[in-house]
Amino acid sequence: MTWLVNALFVLAPFAAFLWWKVHVPFNLPKDLPTVPIYVSLLGLWSNLGQDEIYDRWLRKPLEEHGAVRFWFAGQWSILVTKPRYLMDLFRNEHVYAKAGNHKKIPGTVMANLLGDNIISSHGENWRLYTSIMKPGLTKRDFDCRPLVNTSRKLAKLLLQAQMQTTSGNGVLINPFILRYAITVMGQSFLDTDFRCLDDPKNEILDLQMTIKQSIFKPLFLNFPFLDKFSALIPSRQRAFSLVRQFELLLCNLVQNRPQHTLEKGINTNSEQVIHLLERARKEGKITEKQYRDNLKIIFIVAHENTQLLLNSMFYEIGKNEEVQSRLRTEIDASKTLNPTASTVNKLPYLTSVIYELLRLYPPISQLANRQSNIDSLLGDEVPIPAGTYLAWNAYGVQTSTANWGPRAREFIPERWGSNVEEMQLKFRRETIRGTFIPFNAHTRKCLGQGFVLLQMKIALFELVRSLKWKVDPEYKFKLPGGGVLAPVGCKIIFEEIQTFEEMPETAACDNDITAYDGGDLEASSYQSYGPHNESHDCTKALDNNATSFWLTKYYPAPDPLPHNYNIDMQTLLNITSLSYLPRQDNSNIGNILQWKIALSADNQDWRRFFGTWSSDPALKTFDFGEQVEARWVILTAYTSAGSPGNRTNAAEIRVYDTNDSAARKTMDADPAAATATRTAGQVDGKGKDEDTNPLGKVGTAFTVLGGLAALGTLVWSVLRFCVKWKGTGKAQTLVERR
């Protein structure tokens, strides 16, 4: 019996402490139903998604009463979904003040990560942060070029990943979307290229993913006071350490970024958030800690909303072929190569799709970030004691049949209207009513709302016109248990839209095309020796020998994709087609898969054609469908076959003009035996043009003029004696002697 008494003596204080922490406060409104605490703790042991949890335990009491007593982040709060209550909550900041984790759960890992920032602060601090950062968050002239370029890179990466899958399985999309979202955030707000799209092993990317896995543990989210005992919990010690590492790394990367913008002087209209924060710190308006806290929140929030929404977009549109097709029709009809804000903001169906995604999949679905400063009456109905925390649930509000009709749970873009003006009016009206709150509302609505909408429109514009996709049949839809909202572990099967022609534009607007100005150029090098000391230089793609081939450099380190093969034909021709013969040695390593052909008559305006070839060794031919007047030709390989997928090869590349029918028939019938006349030019990989180069251009190569096939081998033999080789270490220049 003594041992039982001793046990009770030890356990009684713990039981009392536990009851004190989890009991429903007596001063909370008793007319509101209480959601059992175990509902909030389901994430500890169940695999239920928040949609399942909401429908089973929350929807009925919330739609009946408009608010419930709910355990959230370690304490009892009032969870609100009734629009009238929400508008009172959001409109009266002086009564229901923003209260972030630094105030609600001080000393925890989450509070250390986020600190006191523009989103969670209140009063004088919030007004200070807003006065500094708002111009960089709400400007109307965001540069769309980084958005366009990163969206195109994302499409290429997804296609490359699809090609590397086996048996047609889907691609796990979130890792790619995260890399894209961080890259865009850095370029648009922090004047920093984190290079996450280029390097999947990027340090800050790895650290960000590790932090999320460490912090968002259901046990510590529901009982954050446990962080105060981190000395006894190794996993929380590690979480605190990761937060410190993240802060130091982020500050170091941003501080040591290339200062090209500052050196040139900043145009007020082009200032990014980081410039404004750095100036405020220098002028003493904010402390070092305030600078760091706001830097961290921009990094986290400015990529997370888009990351989540893009995951939802791929899933929802991937299961709805009709929506995807209608989007593509609207985008193609715009006849726009490089979309701008003006372009995408005029597209009604694109706008409605994004609005509907935000309604059905609000990225941040639930937060408890308001605290009553005084005793109040919420919506003139619900008594709220001073000090009470209030939460809101956007998913519940935006899927309520009372707010959005009997089909509220369905994805119906058409519900927003028929034109952009009508849609924008509905967007504002529903926000004011409290029935559409993905960006919150009133004075504390998200300042980055406009940028998120622009980024989503540009991304969807680029992705839809270059890709088709569908949800992997093996994927089972699942939402996370709480907090953020997007499909978990979604896998998508991608297919490139077959060859399409883009509108002409100037080279200056396209990062993939660089004019031959006698300087450096993105042109592929070659592997100077193979296993038998044979050369794979650029001329091997034009030597009329199918057994030799050009191969880009792979040892000791490969030149990364994309790889360009550039041709200057020295005269204007009416080009009709191009053929490509891969290596013929029983290996497909480096065979071109995704490609672009660019043609120009003046080295400034370019016509572009895109497509995908199979990885087999057969001859590939692309007809332009018309005569294209051109002197310069660029064949670009975006992806290639074989492992490790970072090389490009070509046994023969030939360009045909209107007089080439006979030569082309010969080439198609027997690539190895066909002959044609070459016009001597220059072959270059990476490097400068030489003084001995009479063309004065970089990146040019030999071309095939099949219409002169009668001269064939004779002319080529003569030209072989008229050249001089120059070694540049990484490339060679073949100079014509006239």
Side-chain angles (χ1 to χ4, degrees):
M1 182 65 72
T2 303
W3 67 267
L4 181 59
V5 173
N6 290 337
L8 290 174
F9 181 78
V10 172
L11 293 175
F14 176 76
F17 172 77
L18 188 61
W19 176 86
W20 175 73
K21 289 296 293 184
V22 304
H23 83 284
V24 180
F26 300 118
N27 63 344
L28 290 186
K30 295 179 174 54
D31 291 339
L32 295 181
T34 300
V35 177
I37 190 172
Y38 68 79
V39 173
S40 299
L41 306 181
L42 285 171
L44 291 173
W45 64 80
S46 81
N47 194 35
L48 292 174
Q50 58 187 286
D51 54 335
E52 298 169 298
I53 294 172
Y54 191 89
D55 287 341
R56 185 169 177 179
W57 286 283
L58 296 173
R59 188 175 294 278
K60 183 177 179 180
L62 277 170
E63 292 188 352
E64 182 177 345
H65 297 273
V68 296
R69 298 184 293 187
F70 187 70
W71 176 268
F72 190 90
Q75 55 195 306
W76 286 97
S77 307
I78 303 299
L79 178 61
V80 179
T81 59
K82 191 172 185 176
R84 186 150 60 91
Y85 296 169
L86 288 169
M87 283 304 93
D88 191 10
L89 181 68
F90 295 148
R91 186 180 291 117
N92 295 300
E93 164 78 6
H94 64 288
V95 177
Y96 307 108
K98 272 286 189 85
N101 293 306
H102 68 291
K103 183 175 181 181
K104 182 170 58 178
I105 47 176
T108 63
V109 173
M110 190 70 77
N112 277 24
L113 175 65
L114 302 178
D116 178 38
N117 58 68
I118 187 173
I119 293 178
S120 61
S121 59
H122 173 67
E124 289 301 320
N125 276 3
W126 171 66
R127 284 186 283 272
L128 171 64
Y129 301 152
T130 302
S131 68
I132 294 168
M133 301 168 66
K134 186 176 180 179
L137 293 168
T138 60
K139 59 185 180 182
R140 296 181 176 274
D141 57 347
F142 275 104
D143 186 357
C144 288
R145 287 174 297 178
L147 302 181
V148 172
N149 293 334
T150 50
S151 298
R152 290 173 179 172
K153 283 186 179 181
L154 175 61
K156 294 170 189 174
L157 286 172
L158 292 171
L159 276 174
Q160 189 171 2
Q162 183 64 66
M163 292 172 184
Q164 294 171 353
T165 61
T166 58
S167 304
N169 295 331
V171 174
L172 183 64
I173 57 173
N174 185 61
F176 295 95
I177 295 173
L178 176 61
R179 291 162 59 188
Y180 156 84
I182 292 178
T183 299
V184 170
M185 174 276 304
Q187 293 174 341
S188 301
F189 294 106
L190 301 182
D191 194 23
T192 302
D193 186 359
F194 291 106
R195 304 192 65 79
C196 292
L197 273 178
D198 301 321
D199 181 12
K201 299 297 183 181
N202 186 287
E203 185 177 3
I204 200 163
L205 179 66
D206 287 343
L207 193 55
Q208 176 74 6
M209 291 189 291
T210 305
I211 285 177
K212 288 182 178 180
Q213 293 168 0
S214 299
I215 289 181
F216 297 111
K217 300 284 188 182
L219 176 63
F220 299 101
L221 287 178
N222 282 288
F223 301 102
F225 69 87
L226 292 174
D227 281 352
K228 298 182 183 295
F229 305 98
S230 60
L232 305 175
I233 309 174
S235 66
R236 299 321 278 169
Q237 293 179 32
R238 172 168 166 74
F240 276 107
S241 176
L242 287 171
V243 168
R244 289 191 294 270
Q245 291 178 45
F246 168 68
E247 179 178 318
L248 290 173
L249 178 60
L250 176 61
C251 292
N252 182 61
L253 290 173
V254 172
Q255 179 150 355
N256 293 308
R257 72 190 186 277
Q259 298 291 308
H260 54 86
T261 308
L262 297 179
E263 290 170 2
K264 295 178 181 178
I266 303 175
N267 183 312
T268 303
N269 293 329
S270 64
E271 283 186 309
Q272 295 189 15
V273 172
I274 188 61
H275 305 140
L276 304 171
L277 282 172
E278 287 173 337
R279 183 190 304 145
R281 180 182 58 175
K282 183 178 180 180
E283 295 174 353
K285 294 181 180 179
I286 56 175
T287 65
E288 177 67 22
K289 183 180 186 307
Q290 289 173 322
Y291 164 81
R292 291 184 173 221
D293 286 347
N294 281 288
L295 176 60
K296 287 185 292 183
I297 199 66
I298 289 297
F299 181 96
I300 294 169
V301 175
H303 85 262
E304 193 172 56
N305 279 330
T306 304
Q307 175 199 354
L308 295 166
L309 197 57
L310 278 174
N311 272 280
S312 301
M313 181 277 293
F314 274 118
Y315 171 77
E316 187 61 45
I317 296 180
K319 66 174 187 169
N320 197 324
E321 185 177 346
E322 182 181 349
V323 171
Q324 194 174 149
S325 177
R326 185 171 169 184
L327 268 175
R328 189 169 295 113
T329 299
E330 180 180 73
I331 289 167
D332 289 345
S334 72
K335 297 188 180 298
T336 301
L337 178 60
N338 288 323
T340 63
S342 176
T343 305
V344 296
N345 287 336
K346 294 176 182 176
L347 302 180
Y349 197 63
L350 176 65
T351 300
S352 67
V353 165
I354 292 172
Y355 286 178
E356 186 70 348
L357 283 168
L358 284 165
R359 186 191 69 82
L360 207 53
Y361 301 94
I364 308 300
S365 59
Q366 181 170 288
L367 275 180
N369 62 350
R370 299 278 181 151
Q371 186 180 32
S372 178
N373 286 329
I374 58 175
D375 291 341
S376 59
L377 202 61
L378 183 66
D380 295 327
E381 292 180 356
V382 182
I384 304 294
T388 301
Y389 278 91
L390 296 100
W392 46 267
N393 189 299
Y395 175 78
V397 176
Q398 295 173 186
T399 58
S400 167
T401 56
N403 300 330
W404 291 91
R407 301 179 67 187
R409 309 279 300 273
E410 298 178 38
F411 185 81
I412 308 174
E414 292 78 7
R415 74 170 78 241
W416 290 91
S418 58
N419 59 68
V420 172
E421 292 74 18
E422 186 179 343
M423 294 170 188
Q424 291 173 339
L425 179 61
K426 185 175 180 63
F427 183 108
R428 291 191 294 268
R429 184 174 62 246
E430 299 298 341
T431 299
I432 293 171
R433 290 180 56 216
T435 55
F436 183 65
I437 55 171
F439 298 111
N440 220 293
H442 293 286
T443 57
R444 297 305 299 268
K445 71 179 180 182
C446 176
L447 293 177
Q449 168 182 317
F451 181 80
V452 172
L453 291 172
L454 174 62
Q455 183 181 359
M456 282 298 301
K457 289 176 182 178
I458 293 287
L460 200 48
F461 187 102
E462 288 296 330
L463 291 166
V464 166
R465 75 168 172 179
S466 58
L467 303 175
K468 288 182 181 178
W469 65 87
K470 61 181 179 180
V471 179
D472 189 327
E474 299 298 318
Y475 173 67
K476 304 301 181 185
F477 177 75
K478 176 63 66 177
L479 292 176
V484 299
L485 192 148
V488 176
C490 185
K491 289 189 174 184
I492 298 293
I493 297 173
F494 292 98
E495 173 189 349
E496 184 179 29
I497 296 177
Q498 293 304 308
T499 307
F500 63 92
E501 178 183 346
E502 293 189 293
M503 301 294 291
E505 56 136 355
T506 60
C509 295
D510 189 335
N511 290 341
D512 290 334
I513 300 295
T514 304
Y516 306 140
D517 58 1
D520 291 318
L521 173 69
E522 274 193 15
S524 301
S525 64
Y526 69 94
Q527 187 64 33
S528 58
Y529 58 89
H532 304 293
N533 292 321
E534 73 275 18
S535 175
H536 290 294
D537 64 76
C538 301
T539 60
K540 295 301 187 289
L542 297 153
D543 62 359
N544 199 37
N545 182 356
T547 63
S548 65
F549 55 93
W550 163 58
L551 182 64
T552 54
K553 186 172 179 289
Y554 62 87
Y555 180 83
D559 286 336
L561 288 158
H563 296 141
N564 296 332
Y565 197 89
N566 310 312
I567 301 170
D568 180 359
M569 299 181 291
Q570 294 296 294
T571 186
L572 286 174
L573 295 170
N574 291 317
I575 303 302
T576 59
S577 59
L578 179 145
S579 66
Y580 162 70
L581 182 70
R583 62 196 297 176
Q584 301 292 300
D585 62 348
N586 297 321
S587 171
N588 71 346
I589 295 177
N591 288 7
I592 297 174
L593 298 175
Q594 297 165 274
W595 52 263
K596 174 176 71 178
I597 300 171
L599 308 174
S600 177
D602 59 4
N603 198 21
Q604 293 184 9
D605 293 331
W606 296 84
R607 294 287 300 278
R608 294 170 181 77
F609 303 84
F610 291 72
T612 302
W613 286 320
S614 59
S615 61
D616 61 69
L619 178 70
K620 329 290 182 189
T621 301
F622 177 70
D623 288 303
F624 300 122
E626 60 179 295
Q627 299 177 25
V628 182
E629 188 178 52
R631 167 180 167 176
W632 285 273
V633 180
I634 300 178
L635 173 61
T636 300
Y638 288 119
T639 60
S640 60
S643 177
N646 56 10
R647 308 174 197 173
T648 300
N649 76 67
E652 293 292 317
I653 297 174
R654 298 191 176 183
V655 179
Y656 300 89
D657 72 358
T658 52
N659 299 314
D660 285 340
S661 57
R664 172 152 172 201
K665 288 178 181 177
T666 305
M667 179 68 176
D668 291 345
D670 187 355
T675 60
T677 300
R678 278 89 172 159
T679 302
Q682 161 185 239
V683 179
D684 199 353
K686 290 184 177 178
K688 303 277 187 179
D689 64 331
E690 302 290 336
D691 293 337
T692 52
N693 176 13
L695 305 178
K697 305 293 181 183
V698 174
T700 52
F702 294 97
T703 186
V704 177
L705 303 180
L708 300 178
L711 296 178
T713 307
L714 175 61
V715 174
W716 179 236
S717 299
V718 173
L719 288 174
R720 287 174 68 91
F721 289 98
C722 299
V723 299
K724 172 183 176 183
W725 290 98
K726 285 197 171 186
T728 62
K730 201 171 186 181
Q732 289 182 337
T733 303
L734 184 61
V735 182
E736 180 185 4
R737 293 297 190 191
R738 294 183 179 177

